[in-house]
């Protein structure tokens, strides 16, 4: 009897799963809340950051680049095309550090954990706002690092690194951040 | 029985129905509650609670081993009130309750109250006792809300962690104090959870120093025997502790933490006497007290190089009519990570542990000597080699240990990981691990059942069966072959499959010896009239065995607000006594673990700040234990009426009024059954 029951449950579960899998397409547009919020943060940051004029290759865009695996998934599309200070936000994924030429913001994915120092060394004086969500990123010379506190997203800013990169961060943003010396 | 099953079916179908309804809701509401997050200010964004799902797969993808991580969110949403119940969600583990405070927990089979092949650490401190090479689960607890995650590695972790990490390592990791700022108060009560309360406060003292303090207390009701009669295994405990994290510069971080605990649990045991009435059932009290303090210094030399030094002192004290024990342990660990050439890495470490116990013997448990101190020296070396960039990695390592029981032990492992493309990783490993003798196997005598006079033959004296330790007892040995695959077909779906084949040698047996007469010491049957007979079984290593199995874990984020996690475990155990073995009990290990286990958890944020969690588990029968298969359902409803306040109602083991899970071995404790329970809880953050 119990055997019969187990079979029945397994069947129910399988049917449920199959049913849900078939609606895959529907689910695909969704992903973790965490990176949705983080992409909204990044969009907000751009409002409080001043890049030197010479850092832009054209007058119309701010280029957001991701190096390594893209943790945002499709969520990054929500900020793509948004206008900040009359510039359009573009999103591109780059394969190698050599391709950062046109990047104004560089998100260093945790998949690049082992290359963080090399990446930061390459871009440190290039007017690029570096962002990541790895322990110690700001300490090692990254400009903004997301941290989790009580399940909420906060961020650290390394002021020295931003100065070195020639990027101005507004005091409003600094007030909300944890400053890393 | 028939009635009960009908009820089972009804409840299960209602569960399925709930799932399906939720599913329909998904379609109806799919796009309604989409807020445009980019329209929010930074302050508003900083107030959104998120759960970190990304950390898990990234961490997992790095490891060529079978790893499962229980997050704080998993713990909170499951409604479990203790660490042991949380472990029930891990594939490959067998978690069973013997009575309210006594547990049998093992990884990949060979379970028992005194199961001895699993290493458990809390924030780097070993909470495994050398007394019987296992864990006193009733003493293991902390502020549940402050646990960051529980990492469970199935299979040998011996090349890093050392002897006794034979079938698994459990790492309970609490949050850094910087992540637990502010106050948190919890309180609740219910049918089995008679009352519990916890308090934590965290703050910053200066720019670089953060700390937290906590205190908690719980009281659990006694369970019932198989007959339905009330047992006497009520359990209550209190504990308090602190953690301090200091990050003075960019390269150093220091942690100091400590806890003290005090608890008491009842148990019902059968006691045996050489005089009438020969055996009696009595209710005993177990008292336990613990304390520990741990300091850790991490120094970053460069991005790919760091140094960590950890020192801790731990004291435990337990007292019951069978044994009184106090144990002090001091442990020092050093670990250094250095880059090797450009793409490789070497981690090496040294460890020293000193442990001293003093035991109060009783008539039924006698340790000789009653006090003993032991030292353990260890070293490990591990090389992480990148064979092909971003594609193929090799990890070679070994632990070298010198212990006071068996001397020098080498435990090497080789692991290889292949990532054919992004989000797919395949790994395989071969490792050797040993389980060194416990203090009990080396030094103890355990007096068990007594046969009244005349049981052996007419006018025979009373006879007692007894387990004897042996100085010649050797380490048990394992060679493990493992393989696994992990893939993330989409960022909302992950699958993890692991398979293993374990080849054991020199496993513990109890060899029946020739009877002797005590206290005179004469040879049986020439006993004196004042003598009784002893039927001895002595520890030896006369069994081999194989276990094999498959474990599957899947995490599926169907929607932003709905997550389903499934786990399945398949396990087979085969034990073979040596031809000259006279053991009569050890082969029963074959039937002491379930062949199949299944767990399905659904976590849904159903809107209006209400969470609904359902958890269905199936556990196969234990053949040699005469424990039936069972299905359980836990359900939790949580509601956040305001930002900092959560009210929740949790029902556990809802499908039956009571069910047995496991029977104890060696010590004659009477098992009790797990009852249906409901409790409510308030959590307030300030």
């Amino acid at each position: 009897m119990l055997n019969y029951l187990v079979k029945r449950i397994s069947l129910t579960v399988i049917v449920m799963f199959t049913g849900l899998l078939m609606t895959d397409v529907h689910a695909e547009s969704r992903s973790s809340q965490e990176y949705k919020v983080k992409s909204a943060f990044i969009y907000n940051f751009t409002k409080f950051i001043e890049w030197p004029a010479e850092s832009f290759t054209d007058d119309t865009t701010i280029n957001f680049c991701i190096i390594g695996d893209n943790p945002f998934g499709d969520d990054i599309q929500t900020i793509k095309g948004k206008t900040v200070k009359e510039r359009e936000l573009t999103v591109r994924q780059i394969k190698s550090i050599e391709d950062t030429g046109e990047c104004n913001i560089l998100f260093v994915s945790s998949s690049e954990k082992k290359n963080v120092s090399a990446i930061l060394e390459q871009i440190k004086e290039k007017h690029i706002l570096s962002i990541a969500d790895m322990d110690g990123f700001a300490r090692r010379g990254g400009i903004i690092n997301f941290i989790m506190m009580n399940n909420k997203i906060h961020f650290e800013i390394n002021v020295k690194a931003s100065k070195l990169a020639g990027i101005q961060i507004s005091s409003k943003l600094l007030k909300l951040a944890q400053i890393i010396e | 029985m028939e009635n009960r099953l009908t009820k089972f079916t009804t409840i299960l179908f209602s569960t399925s129905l709930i799932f399906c309804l939720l599913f329909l809701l998904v379609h109806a509401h799919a796009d309604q509650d989409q807020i445009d997050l980019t329209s929010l200010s930074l302050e508003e964004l900083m107030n959104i609670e998120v759960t970190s799902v990304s950390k898990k797969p990234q961490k997992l993808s790095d490891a060529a081993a079978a790893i499962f991580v229980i997050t704080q969110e998993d713990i909170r949403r499951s409604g479990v009130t203790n660490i042991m119940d949380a472990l029930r969600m891990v594939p490959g583990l067998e978690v069973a309750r013997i009575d309210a405070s006594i547990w049998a927990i093992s990884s990949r089979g060979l379970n028992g109250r005194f199961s001895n092949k699993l290493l458990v650490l809390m924030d780097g401190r070993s909470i495994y006792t050398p007394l019987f090479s296992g864990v006193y689960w009733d003493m293991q607890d902390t502020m549940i809300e402050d646990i960051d995650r529980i990492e469970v590695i199935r299979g040998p972790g011996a090349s890093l962690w050392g002897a006794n990490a034979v079938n698994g390592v459990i790492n309970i990791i609490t949050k850094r104090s910087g992540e637990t700022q502010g106050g948190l108060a919890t309180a609740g009560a219910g049918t089995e959870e008679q009352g519990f309360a916890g308090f934590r406060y965290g703050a910053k003292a200066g720019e670089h120093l953060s700390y937290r303090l906590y205190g908690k207390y719980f009281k659990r009701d006694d369970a019932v025997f198989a007959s339905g009669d009330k047992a006497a295994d009520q359990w209550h405990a209190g504990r308090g502790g602190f953690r301090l994290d200091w990050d003075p510069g960019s390269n150093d971080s220091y942690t100091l933490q400590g806890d003290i605990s005090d608890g008491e649990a009842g148990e019902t045991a059968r006691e045996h006497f050489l005089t009438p009435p020969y055996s009696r059932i009595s209710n005993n009290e177990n008292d336990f007290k613990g304390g520990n303090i741990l300091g850790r210094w991490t120094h970053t030399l460069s991005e790919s190089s760091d140094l960590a030094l950890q020192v801790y002192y731990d004291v435990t004290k337990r007292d019951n009519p069978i044994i009184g024990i106090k144990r002090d342990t001091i442990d020092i660990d050093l670990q250094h990570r250095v880059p090797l050439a450009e793409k490789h890495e070497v981690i090496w470490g040294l460890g020293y542990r000193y442990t001293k116990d003093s035991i109060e013997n009783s008539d039924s448990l006698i340790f000789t000597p009653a006090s003993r101190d032991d030292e353990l020296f260890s070293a490990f070396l591990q090389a992480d080699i990148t064979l092909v960039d971003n594609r193929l990695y090799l990890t070679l390592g070994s632990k070298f240990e010198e212990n006071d029981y068996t001397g020098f032990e080498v435990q090497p492992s080789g692991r290889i990981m292949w990532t054919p493309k992004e989000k797919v990783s395949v790994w395989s490993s071969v490792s050797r691990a040993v389980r060194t003798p416990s203090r009990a196997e080396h030094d103890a005598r355990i007096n068990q059942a007594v046969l009244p006079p005349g049981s052996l033959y007419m006018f025979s004296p009373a006879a007692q069966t007894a387990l004897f330790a042996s100085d010649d007892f050797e380490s048990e040995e394992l060679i493990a072959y493992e393989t696994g695959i992990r893939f993330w077909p989409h960022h909302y779906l992950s699958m993890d499959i692991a398979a293993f084949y374990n080849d054991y040698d020199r496993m513990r047996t109890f060899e029946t010896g020739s009877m002797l007469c005590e206290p005179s010491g004469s040879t049986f049957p020439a006993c004196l009239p004042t003598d009784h007979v002893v039927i001895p079984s002595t520890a030896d290593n006369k069994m081999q065995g194989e276990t094999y199995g498959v474990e599957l874990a899947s995490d599926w984020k169907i929607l932003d607000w709905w997550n389903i996690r499934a786990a399945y475990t398949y396990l087979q155990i085969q034990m073979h006594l040596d031809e000259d073995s006279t053991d009569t009990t050890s082969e029963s290990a074959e039937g002491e673990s379930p062949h199949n286990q299944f767990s399905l958890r659904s976590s849904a944020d159903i809107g209006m700040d209400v969470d609904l969690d359902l958890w269905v588990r199936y556990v196969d029968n234990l053949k040699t234990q005469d424990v039936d298969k069972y299905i359980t359902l836990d359900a939790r409803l949580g509601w956040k009426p305001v930002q900092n306040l959560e009210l929740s109602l949790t029902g556990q083991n809802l499908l039956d009024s009571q069910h047995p899970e496991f029977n104890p071995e060696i010590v004659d404790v009477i098992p009790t059954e797990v009852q249906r329970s409901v409790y409510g809880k308030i959590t307030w953050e300030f």
Side-chain angles (χ1 to χ4, degrees), chain A residues 1-2 20 30-31 36 44 110 114 117 150-151, chain B residues 5 23 40 50 58 179 303 422 491 559-560 629:
Chain A
M1 180 65 193
L2 204 57
L20 291 166
R30 276 141 238 287
S31 72
K36 227 172 232 176
N44 258 289
S110 348
K114 290 189 170 171
S117 290
N150 296 332
N151 291 331
Chain B
L5 282 172
F23 175 58
L40 299 182
V50 297
Q58 276 159 16
E179 291 168 45
E303 179 205 330
E422 201 184 309
H491 52 258
L559 293 167
D560 268 359
K629 54 187 94 178

PDB file of all heavy atoms in Angstrom, chain A residues 1-2 20 30-31 36 44 110 114 117 150-151, chain B residues 5 23 40 50 58 179 303 422 491 559-560 629:
ATOM      1  N   MET A   1       0.837  -1.203   0.000  1.00  0.00           N
ATOM      2  CA  MET A   1       0.000   0.000   0.000  1.00  0.00           C
ATOM      3  C   MET A   1       0.872   1.253   0.000  1.00  0.00           C
ATOM      4  O   MET A   1       0.683   2.183  -0.775  1.00  0.00           O
ATOM      5  CB  MET A   1      -0.907  -0.033   1.237  1.00  0.00           C
ATOM      6  CG  MET A   1      -1.837   1.182   1.334  1.00  0.00           C
ATOM      7  SD  MET A   1      -3.041   1.259  -0.021  1.00  0.00           S
ATOM      8  CE  MET A   1      -3.647   2.918   0.166  1.00  0.00           C
ATOM      9  N   LEU A   2       1.891   1.205   0.883  1.00  0.00           N
ATOM     10  CA  LEU A   2       2.769   2.370   0.969  1.00  0.00           C
ATOM     11  C   LEU A   2       3.552   2.523  -0.333  1.00  0.00           C
ATOM     12  O   LEU A   2       3.799   3.620  -0.811  1.00  0.00           O
ATOM     13  CB  LEU A   2       3.714   2.213   2.161  1.00  0.00           C
ATOM     14  CG  LEU A   2       4.260   3.533   2.717  1.00  0.00           C
ATOM     15  CD1 LEU A   2       3.148   4.456   3.115  1.00  0.00           C
ATOM     16  CD2 LEU A   2       5.145   3.272   3.913  1.00  0.00           C
ATOM     17  N   LEU A  20       5.684  22.192 -15.251  1.00  0.00           N
ATOM     18  CA  LEU A  20       6.375  23.445 -15.014  1.00  0.00           C
ATOM     19  C   LEU A  20       7.479  23.662 -16.037  1.00  0.00           C
ATOM     20  O   LEU A  20       7.706  24.777 -16.488  1.00  0.00           O
ATOM     21  CB  LEU A  20       6.946  23.449 -13.596  1.00  0.00           C
ATOM     22  CG  LEU A  20       5.865  23.522 -12.511  1.00  0.00           C
ATOM     23  CD1 LEU A  20       6.439  23.178 -11.161  1.00  0.00           C
ATOM     24  CD2 LEU A  20       5.248  24.909 -12.481  1.00  0.00           C
ATOM     25  N   ARG A  30      12.784  35.652 -15.824  1.00  0.00           N
ATOM     26  CA  ARG A  30      12.982  35.975 -14.425  1.00  0.00           C
ATOM     27  C   ARG A  30      14.311  35.459 -13.889  1.00  0.00           C
ATOM     28  O   ARG A  30      14.858  34.525 -14.417  1.00  0.00           O
ATOM     29  CB  ARG A  30      11.888  35.299 -13.591  1.00  0.00           C
ATOM     30  CG  ARG A  30      10.655  36.063 -13.539  1.00  0.00           C
ATOM     31  CD  ARG A  30       9.492  35.114 -13.611  1.00  0.00           C
ATOM     32  NE  ARG A  30       8.670  35.452 -14.761  1.00  0.00           N
ATOM     33  CZ  ARG A  30       7.905  36.515 -14.792  1.00  0.00           C
ATOM     34  NH1 ARG A  30       7.859  37.327 -13.778  1.00  0.00           N
ATOM     35  NH2 ARG A  30       7.188  36.766 -15.845  1.00  0.00           N
ATOM     36  N   SER A  31      14.798  36.076 -12.861  1.00  0.00           N
ATOM     37  CA  SER A  31      15.988  35.535 -12.230  1.00  0.00           C
ATOM     38  C   SER A  31      16.050  36.070 -10.830  1.00  0.00           C
ATOM     39  O   SER A  31      15.076  36.551 -10.283  1.00  0.00           O
ATOM     40  CB  SER A  31      17.227  35.939 -12.995  1.00  0.00           C
ATOM     41  OG  SER A  31      17.460  37.308 -12.778  1.00  0.00           O
ATOM     42  N   LYS A  36      18.861  41.878  -9.871  1.00  0.00           N
ATOM     43  CA  LYS A  36      17.936  42.912 -10.332  1.00  0.00           C
ATOM     44  C   LYS A  36      18.200  44.192  -9.545  1.00  0.00           C
ATOM     45  O   LYS A  36      18.316  45.280 -10.094  1.00  0.00           O
ATOM     46  CB  LYS A  36      16.500  42.427 -10.085  1.00  0.00           C
ATOM     47  CG  LYS A  36      15.606  42.629 -11.269  1.00  0.00           C
ATOM     48  CD  LYS A  36      14.281  41.971 -11.044  1.00  0.00           C
ATOM     49  CE  LYS A  36      13.987  41.085 -12.218  1.00  0.00           C
ATOM     50  NZ  LYS A  36      12.779  40.328 -12.093  1.00  0.00           N
ATOM     51  N   ASN A  44      21.692  53.732 -10.696  1.00  0.00           N
ATOM     52  CA  ASN A  44      21.679  54.881  -9.794  1.00  0.00           C
ATOM     53  C   ASN A  44      23.057  55.508  -9.607  1.00  0.00           C
ATOM     54  O   ASN A  44      23.190  56.716  -9.513  1.00  0.00           O
ATOM     55  CB  ASN A  44      21.128  54.450  -8.435  1.00  0.00           C
ATOM     56  CG  ASN A  44      19.688  54.867  -8.260  1.00  0.00           C
ATOM     57  OD1 ASN A  44      19.400  56.035  -8.115  1.00  0.00           O
ATOM     58  ND2 ASN A  44      18.785  53.894  -8.322  1.00  0.00           N
ATOM     59  N   SER A 110      32.493  37.572 -10.267  1.00  0.00           N
ATOM     60  CA  SER A 110      33.253  36.732  -9.325  1.00  0.00           C
ATOM     61  C   SER A 110      33.948  35.581 -10.023  1.00  0.00           C
ATOM     62  O   SER A 110      34.833  34.949  -9.447  1.00  0.00           O
ATOM     63  CB  SER A 110      32.376  36.173  -8.221  1.00  0.00           C
ATOM     64  OG  SER A 110      31.142  36.779  -8.174  1.00  0.00           O
ATOM     65  N   LYS A 114      40.295  35.157  -9.505  1.00  0.00           N
ATOM     66  CA  LYS A 114      41.743  34.950  -9.488  1.00  0.00           C
ATOM     67  C   LYS A 114      42.491  36.027 -10.259  1.00  0.00           C
ATOM     68  O   LYS A 114      43.702  36.163 -10.117  1.00  0.00           O
ATOM     69  CB  LYS A 114      42.085  33.570 -10.059  1.00  0.00           C
ATOM     70  CG  LYS A 114      41.648  32.459  -9.142  1.00  0.00           C
ATOM     71  CD  LYS A 114      42.175  31.118  -9.587  1.00  0.00           C
ATOM     72  CE  LYS A 114      41.908  30.081  -8.490  1.00  0.00           C
ATOM     73  NZ  LYS A 114      42.206  28.728  -8.936  1.00  0.00           N
ATOM     74  N   SER A 117      43.500  41.250  -9.294  1.00  0.00           N
ATOM     75  CA  SER A 117      44.630  42.184  -9.217  1.00  0.00           C
ATOM     76  C   SER A 117      45.109  42.598 -10.595  1.00  0.00           C
ATOM     77  O   SER A 117      45.368  43.777 -10.846  1.00  0.00           O
ATOM     78  CB  SER A 117      45.793  41.562  -8.462  1.00  0.00           C
ATOM     79  OG  SER A 117      45.445  41.451  -7.128  1.00  0.00           O
ATOM     80  N   ASN A 150      22.702  41.937   6.705  1.00  0.00           N
ATOM     81  CA  ASN A 150      21.348  41.552   7.107  1.00  0.00           C
ATOM     82  C   ASN A 150      20.438  41.367   5.889  1.00  0.00           C
ATOM     83  O   ASN A 150      19.315  41.878   5.856  1.00  0.00           O
ATOM     84  CB  ASN A 150      20.749  42.590   8.048  1.00  0.00           C
ATOM     85  CG  ASN A 150      21.525  42.679   9.346  1.00  0.00           C
ATOM     86  OD1 ASN A 150      22.132  41.702   9.768  1.00  0.00           O
ATOM     87  ND2 ASN A 150      21.536  43.841   9.947  1.00  0.00           N
ATOM     88  N   ASN A 151      20.952  40.675   4.891  1.00  0.00           N
ATOM     89  CA  ASN A 151      20.181  40.386   3.682  1.00  0.00           C
ATOM     90  C   ASN A 151      19.856  41.616   2.847  1.00  0.00           C
ATOM     91  O   ASN A 151      18.950  41.587   2.025  1.00  0.00           O
ATOM     92  CB  ASN A 151      18.869  39.658   3.997  1.00  0.00           C
ATOM     93  CG  ASN A 151      19.131  38.261   4.475  1.00  0.00           C
ATOM     94  OD1 ASN A 151      20.141  37.662   4.084  1.00  0.00           O
ATOM     95  ND2 ASN A 151      18.273  37.740   5.302  1.00  0.00           N
TER      96      ASN A 151
ATOM     97  N   LEU B   5      -3.514   5.732   5.987  1.00  0.00           N
ATOM     98  CA  LEU B   5      -3.006   5.896   4.627  1.00  0.00           C
ATOM     99  C   LEU B   5      -3.931   6.759   3.790  1.00  0.00           C
ATOM    100  O   LEU B   5      -3.481   7.569   2.989  1.00  0.00           O
ATOM    101  CB  LEU B   5      -2.826   4.525   3.973  1.00  0.00           C
ATOM    102  CG  LEU B   5      -1.564   3.805   4.449  1.00  0.00           C
ATOM    103  CD1 LEU B   5      -1.533   2.386   3.926  1.00  0.00           C
ATOM    104  CD2 LEU B   5      -0.320   4.558   4.029  1.00  0.00           C
ATOM    105  N   PHE B  23       1.024  27.430  -8.859  1.00  0.00           N
ATOM    106  CA  PHE B  23       1.489  27.462 -10.219  1.00  0.00           C
ATOM    107  C   PHE B  23       0.549  28.292 -11.106  1.00  0.00           C
ATOM    108  O   PHE B  23       0.970  29.103 -11.926  1.00  0.00           O
ATOM    109  CB  PHE B  23       1.588  26.018 -10.706  1.00  0.00           C
ATOM    110  CG  PHE B  23       1.938  25.887 -12.146  1.00  0.00           C
ATOM    111  CD1 PHE B  23       3.110  26.446 -12.628  1.00  0.00           C
ATOM    112  CD2 PHE B  23       1.100  25.195 -13.007  1.00  0.00           C
ATOM    113  CE1 PHE B  23       3.438  26.319 -13.959  1.00  0.00           C
ATOM    114  CE2 PHE B  23       1.425  25.068 -14.336  1.00  0.00           C
ATOM    115  CZ  PHE B  23       2.587  25.628 -14.812  1.00  0.00           C
ATOM    116  N   LEU B  40      13.605  53.479  -8.197  1.00  0.00           N
ATOM    117  CA  LEU B  40      13.813  53.666  -6.756  1.00  0.00           C
ATOM    118  C   LEU B  40      15.111  54.426  -6.487  1.00  0.00           C
ATOM    119  O   LEU B  40      16.053  54.372  -7.273  1.00  0.00           O
ATOM    120  CB  LEU B  40      13.879  52.304  -6.059  1.00  0.00           C
ATOM    121  CG  LEU B  40      12.645  51.414  -6.165  1.00  0.00           C
ATOM    122  CD1 LEU B  40      12.859  50.132  -5.391  1.00  0.00           C
ATOM    123  CD2 LEU B  40      11.401  52.130  -5.673  1.00  0.00           C
ATOM    124  N   VAL B  50      17.167  40.998  -0.026  1.00  0.00           N
ATOM    125  CA  VAL B  50      17.384  40.028  -1.097  1.00  0.00           C
ATOM    126  C   VAL B  50      18.038  38.800  -0.485  1.00  0.00           C
ATOM    127  O   VAL B  50      18.623  38.859   0.581  1.00  0.00           O
ATOM    128  CB  VAL B  50      18.299  40.567  -2.210  1.00  0.00           C
ATOM    129  CG1 VAL B  50      17.678  41.747  -2.890  1.00  0.00           C
ATOM    130  CG2 VAL B  50      19.663  40.937  -1.659  1.00  0.00           C
ATOM    131  N   GLN B  58      28.484  29.706  -7.428  1.00  0.00           N
ATOM    132  CA  GLN B  58      29.862  30.094  -7.695  1.00  0.00           C
ATOM    133  C   GLN B  58      30.829  29.327  -6.816  1.00  0.00           C
ATOM    134  O   GLN B  58      31.842  28.844  -7.248  1.00  0.00           O
ATOM    135  CB  GLN B  58      30.046  31.589  -7.466  1.00  0.00           C
ATOM    136  CG  GLN B  58      29.646  32.395  -8.680  1.00  0.00           C
ATOM    137  CD  GLN B  58      29.336  33.816  -8.339  1.00  0.00           C
ATOM    138  OE1 GLN B  58      29.688  34.286  -7.263  1.00  0.00           O
ATOM    139  NE2 GLN B  58      28.679  34.495  -9.224  1.00  0.00           N
ATOM    140  N   GLU B 179      27.948  41.702   9.780  1.00  0.00           N
ATOM    141  CA  GLU B 179      26.697  41.384   9.091  1.00  0.00           C
ATOM    142  C   GLU B 179      25.532  41.176  10.050  1.00  0.00           C
ATOM    143  O   GLU B 179      24.418  40.874   9.625  1.00  0.00           O
ATOM    144  CB  GLU B 179      26.878  40.111   8.252  1.00  0.00           C
ATOM    145  CG  GLU B 179      27.802  40.299   7.076  1.00  0.00           C
ATOM    146  CD  GLU B 179      28.185  38.954   6.469  1.00  0.00           C
ATOM    147  OE1 GLU B 179      27.298  38.111   6.291  1.00  0.00           O
ATOM    148  OE2 GLU B 179      29.377  38.766   6.190  1.00  0.00           O
ATOM    149  N   GLU B 303      47.066  39.051  -3.316  1.00  0.00           N
ATOM    150  CA  GLU B 303      45.762  38.572  -3.715  1.00  0.00           C
ATOM    151  C   GLU B 303      45.691  37.044  -3.728  1.00  0.00           C
ATOM    152  O   GLU B 303      44.689  36.445  -3.411  1.00  0.00           O
ATOM    153  CB  GLU B 303      45.447  39.112  -5.099  1.00  0.00           C
ATOM    154  CG  GLU B 303      44.133  38.652  -5.614  1.00  0.00           C
ATOM    155  CD  GLU B 303      44.152  38.677  -7.110  1.00  0.00           C
ATOM    156  OE1 GLU B 303      44.885  39.537  -7.660  1.00  0.00           O
ATOM    157  OE2 GLU B 303      43.474  37.845  -7.694  1.00  0.00           O
ATOM    158  N   GLU B 422      31.039  27.054 -19.960  1.00  0.00           N
ATOM    159  CA  GLU B 422      30.568  27.825 -18.838  1.00  0.00           C
ATOM    160  C   GLU B 422      29.326  27.153 -18.252  1.00  0.00           C
ATOM    161  O   GLU B 422      28.450  26.704 -18.968  1.00  0.00           O
ATOM    162  CB  GLU B 422      30.219  29.230 -19.343  1.00  0.00           C
ATOM    163  CG  GLU B 422      30.187  30.275 -18.261  1.00  0.00           C
ATOM    164  CD  GLU B 422      29.743  31.609 -18.825  1.00  0.00           C
ATOM    165  OE1 GLU B 422      30.326  32.029 -19.843  1.00  0.00           O
ATOM    166  OE2 GLU B 422      28.829  32.197 -18.265  1.00  0.00           O
ATOM    167  N   HIS B 491      20.214  30.521 -15.323  1.00  0.00           N
ATOM    168  CA  HIS B 491      20.646  31.003 -14.015  1.00  0.00           C
ATOM    169  C   HIS B 491      19.618  30.754 -12.930  1.00  0.00           C
ATOM    170  O   HIS B 491      19.893  30.924 -11.771  1.00  0.00           O
ATOM    171  CB  HIS B 491      21.060  32.480 -14.072  1.00  0.00           C
ATOM    172  CG  HIS B 491      20.032  33.349 -14.687  1.00  0.00           C
ATOM    173  ND1 HIS B 491      20.129  33.795 -15.968  1.00  0.00           N
ATOM    174  CD2 HIS B 491      18.879  33.816 -14.189  1.00  0.00           C
ATOM    175  CE1 HIS B 491      19.062  34.515 -16.250  1.00  0.00           C
ATOM    176  NE2 HIS B 491      18.298  34.542 -15.197  1.00  0.00           N
ATOM    177  N   LEU B 559      10.202  31.344 -10.324  1.00  0.00           N
ATOM    178  CA  LEU B 559       9.867  32.758 -10.479  1.00  0.00           C
ATOM    179  C   LEU B 559      10.616  33.505  -9.409  1.00  0.00           C
ATOM    180  O   LEU B 559      11.144  32.913  -8.488  1.00  0.00           O
ATOM    181  CB  LEU B 559       8.362  32.947 -10.277  1.00  0.00           C
ATOM    182  CG  LEU B 559       7.485  32.325 -11.354  1.00  0.00           C
ATOM    183  CD1 LEU B 559       6.053  32.289 -10.889  1.00  0.00           C
ATOM    184  CD2 LEU B 559       7.607  33.117 -12.642  1.00  0.00           C
ATOM    185  N   ASP B 560      10.620  34.819  -9.528  1.00  0.00           N
ATOM    186  CA  ASP B 560      11.237  35.642  -8.509  1.00  0.00           C
ATOM    187  C   ASP B 560      10.825  35.223  -7.117  1.00  0.00           C
ATOM    188  O   ASP B 560      11.582  35.296  -6.190  1.00  0.00           O
ATOM    189  CB  ASP B 560      10.778  37.100  -8.681  1.00  0.00           C
ATOM    190  CG  ASP B 560      11.748  37.837  -9.542  1.00  0.00           C
ATOM    191  OD1 ASP B 560      12.727  37.210  -9.956  1.00  0.00           O
ATOM    192  OD2 ASP B 560      11.517  39.028  -9.789  1.00  0.00           O
ATOM    193  N   LYS B 629       9.300   2.745   6.573  1.00  0.00           N
ATOM    194  CA  LYS B 629       9.453   3.946   5.766  1.00  0.00           C
ATOM    195  C   LYS B 629       8.468   5.010   6.238  1.00  0.00           C
ATOM    196  O   LYS B 629       7.424   4.684   6.816  1.00  0.00           O
ATOM    197  CB  LYS B 629       9.244   3.637   4.289  1.00  0.00           C
ATOM    198  CG  LYS B 629       7.939   2.944   3.992  1.00  0.00           C
ATOM    199  CD  LYS B 629       7.868   2.501   2.535  1.00  0.00           C
ATOM    200  CE  LYS B 629       8.330   1.066   2.357  1.00  0.00           C
ATOM    201  NZ  LYS B 629       8.242   0.580   0.973  1.00  0.00           N
TER     202      LYS B 629
END
